[in-house]
């Protein structure tokens, strides 16, 4: 193969990486879109705000189940087939939500969203190994998972802005249209990626290292979402922040998360365990400092840098653990269950103790993650 041909193939593979990154952006924006539209949807469909919150929690739980189920059920297929099918399903789900005439119909659409989230994320997160040379896997994984961070910074606010101008149904319709466009792009740029039957892959026992990563995932994600779910009321009640400062603070947090994602990816490609420990300590320090002294913007930058790199560090540890695609699917399942668990536990702490207590809970679980990864990850991380 000539140098020109090699360069052309490399560019095509990186175009595929970028397309998959847009895919993760689309699914995460779709998942979190109701957060900014909750009140409007609740009023339109005749339910309370609390009941409308099922539009967020339900897809997460469905995604947790669908990720490992789809990984097993489709393991013999070319990976393009489930990726394209799940993106088509996401388009249908968003368009169904846009035209929902009742809350049960909306929940049905959100179930479809959850299926597409769990499956697409499970397949996409590990595609770096298939698309780029080994030396570039860390960077490719950071780009793919960077779609998650960018969705938090740009996707959800953009959906809210569209809704303020043209109504919440338009926001869902736009996401449905984006999914359809992306379906065509993925079909055009993804190379053949044989499943297990064609590549000779086989199922293996769950590696010990994978069990460690899954446990660390539950600890750190539960702690993060126990605190982060309630960061807005915390800023309003404890830091005495007005709407303008809250918006700026969350934007700053999201931007720091994007930076953290790429910085952590570059370092975690060599050895993910110490990177995860540092990230957990950053989360612990920032959440504890918020509970003690406030300083929202400074501490939210630190928190964003820490949490922004968690996903890519955990995913690269999964790859090094030998868990394969099923390992990634189990990771996605654990991640989504932990989001729901963290939000639920945090809510009980807020109602039963105080709003500041969730920051201490987040700090404690982040510290526990660092200790757990340092002790139990010592003999199970490749290269440790």
């Amino acid at each position: 193969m000539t140098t020109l041909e090699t360069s052309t193939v490399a560019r095509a593979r990186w175009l595929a990486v970028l397309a998959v990154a847009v895919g993760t952006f689309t699914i995460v924006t779709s998942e979190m879109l109701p957060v900014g539209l909750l009140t409007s949807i609740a009023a339109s469909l005749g339910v309370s705000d609390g009941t409308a919150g099922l539009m967020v929690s339900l897809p997460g739980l469905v995604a947790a189940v669908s990720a490992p189920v789809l990984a097993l059920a489709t393991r013999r297929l070319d990976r393009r087939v489930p990726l394209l099918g799940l993106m088509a399903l996401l388009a249908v789900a968003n368009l169904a939500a846009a035209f929902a005439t009742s809350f049960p119909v909306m929940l049905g659409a959100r179930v479809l969203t959850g299926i597409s989230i769990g499956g697409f994320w499970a397949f996409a997160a590990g595609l770096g190994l298939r698309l780029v040379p080994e030396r570039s896997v860390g960077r490719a994984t950071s780009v793919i998972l960077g779609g998650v961070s960018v969705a938090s910074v740009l996707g959800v606010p953009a959906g809210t802005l569209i809704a303020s101008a043209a109504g919440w149904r338009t926001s869902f319709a736009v996401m449905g249209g984006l999914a359809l466009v992306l379906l065509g792009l993925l079909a055009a740029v993804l190379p053949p990626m044989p499943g297990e039957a064609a590549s000779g892959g086989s199922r293996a026992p769950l590696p010990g290292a994978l069990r460690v990563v899954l446990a660390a995932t539950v600890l750190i994600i539960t702690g993060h979402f126990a605190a982060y779910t309630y960061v807005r009321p915390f800023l309003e009640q404890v830091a005495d922040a007005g709407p303008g400062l809250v918006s700026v603070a969350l934007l700053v947090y999201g931007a720091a998360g994007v930076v953290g994602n790429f910085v952590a990816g570059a370092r975690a490609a060599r050895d993910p365990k110490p990177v995860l420990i540092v990230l957990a300590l950053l989360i612990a320090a920032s959440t504890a400092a918020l509970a003690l002294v406030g300083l929202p913007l400074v501490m939210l930058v630190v928190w964003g840098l820490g949490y922004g790199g968690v996903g890519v560090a955990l995913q690269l540890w999964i790859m090094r653990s030998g868990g394969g695609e099923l390992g990634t699917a189990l990771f996605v399942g654990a991640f989504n269950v932990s989001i729901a668990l963290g939000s639920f536990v945090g809510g009980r702490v807020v109602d039963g103790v105080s709003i500041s207590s969730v920051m201490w809970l987040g700090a404690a679980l982040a510290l526990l993650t660092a200790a757990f990864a340092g002790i139990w990850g010592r003999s199970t991380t490749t290269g440790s």
Side-chain angles (χ1 to χ4, degrees):
M1 182 178 290
T2 67
T3 302
L4 180 59
E5 290 173 327
T6 302
S7 177
T8 301
V9 170
R11 283 197 299 270
R13 291 303 180 93
W14 277 104
L15 179 58
V17 168
L18 291 173
V20 175
V22 178
T24 61
F25 167 86
T26 304
I27 63 169
V28 172
T29 300
S30 297
E31 179 180 18
M32 303 308 296
L33 191 60
V35 170
L37 314 177
L38 205 67
T39 305
S40 300
I41 297 174
S44 178
L45 299 182
V47 297
S48 68
D49 289 348
T51 300
L54 290 171
M55 293 185 295
V56 179
S57 57
L58 184 59
L61 294 175
V62 172
V65 175
S66 67
V69 169
L70 287 170
L72 288 172
T74 66
R75 66 185 184 276
R76 300 185 188 281
L77 297 177
D78 185 306
R79 307 330 285 151
R80 292 177 298 181
V81 175
L83 283 169
L84 295 175
L86 290 164
M87 188 52 61
L89 182 63
L90 183 66
V92 170
N94 279 318
L95 293 173
F99 292 99
T101 55
S102 66
F103 194 63
V105 174
M106 172 62 80
L107 288 184
R110 298 300 288 169
V111 167
L112 298 181
T113 301
I115 294 171
S116 61
I117 291 166
F120 192 94
W121 189 357
F123 297 130
L127 285 184
L129 282 171
R130 290 176 176 258
L131 293 175
V132 299
E134 185 175 354
R135 66 180 182 276
S136 301
V137 166
R139 183 156 54 112
T141 303
S142 296
V143 171
I144 290 171
L145 295 183
V148 177
S149 300
V150 176
S152 301
V153 179
L154 298 177
V156 175
T160 305
L161 182 63
I162 291 170
S164 66
W168 63 265
R169 295 182 186 276
T170 304
S171 295
F172 282 104
V174 168
M175 292 310 302
L178 177 60
L180 287 174
V181 171
L182 187 56
L183 175 63
L185 178 61
L186 289 170
V189 302
L190 286 177
M193 293 178 285
E196 285 187 1
S199 62
S202 60
R203 296 176 65 183
L206 200 65
L210 177 55
R211 292 194 292 269
V212 171
V213 185
L214 294 176
T217 298
V218 172
L219 286 172
I220 196 166
I221 301 303
T222 298
H224 168 77
F225 278 94
Y228 182 68
T229 302
Y230 304 96
V231 69
R232 183 170 193 132
F234 173 86
L235 292 174
E236 292 171 343
Q237 298 173 31
V238 177
D240 198 26
L245 180 56
V246 169
S247 298
V248 171
L250 294 179
L251 182 62
V252 166
Y253 166 87
V258 174
V259 174
N261 174 80
F262 287 99
V263 172
R267 286 156 178 76
R270 294 188 292 273
D271 192 354
K273 185 191 73 174
V275 174
L276 181 66
I277 292 172
V278 170
L279 297 173
L281 292 175
L282 287 176
I283 294 172
S286 57
T287 49
L290 280 169
L292 282 171
V293 295
L295 298 174
L297 290 179
V298 175
M299 289 302 103
L300 282 172
V301 168
V302 178
W303 191 356
L305 286 170
Y307 181 71
V310 164
V312 67
L314 288 168
Q315 177 59 46
L316 289 168
W317 196 350
I318 289 283
M319 291 178 179
R320 292 170 67 94
S321 74
E325 197 169 75
L326 178 59
T328 294
L330 292 172
F331 164 62
V332 172
F335 200 106
N336 280 280
V337 166
S338 301
I339 291 174
L341 178 62
S343 299
F344 176 78
V345 172
R348 305 292 72 75
V349 171
V350 168
D351 291 343
V353 187
S354 69
I355 189 70
S356 294
S357 297
V358 290
M359 296 300 163
W360 288 116
L361 176 60
L365 288 176
L367 281 175
L368 186 58
T369 303
F372 178 84
I375 297 170
W376 278 274
R378 184 176 302 157
S379 61
T380 54
T381 305
T382 302
S384 294

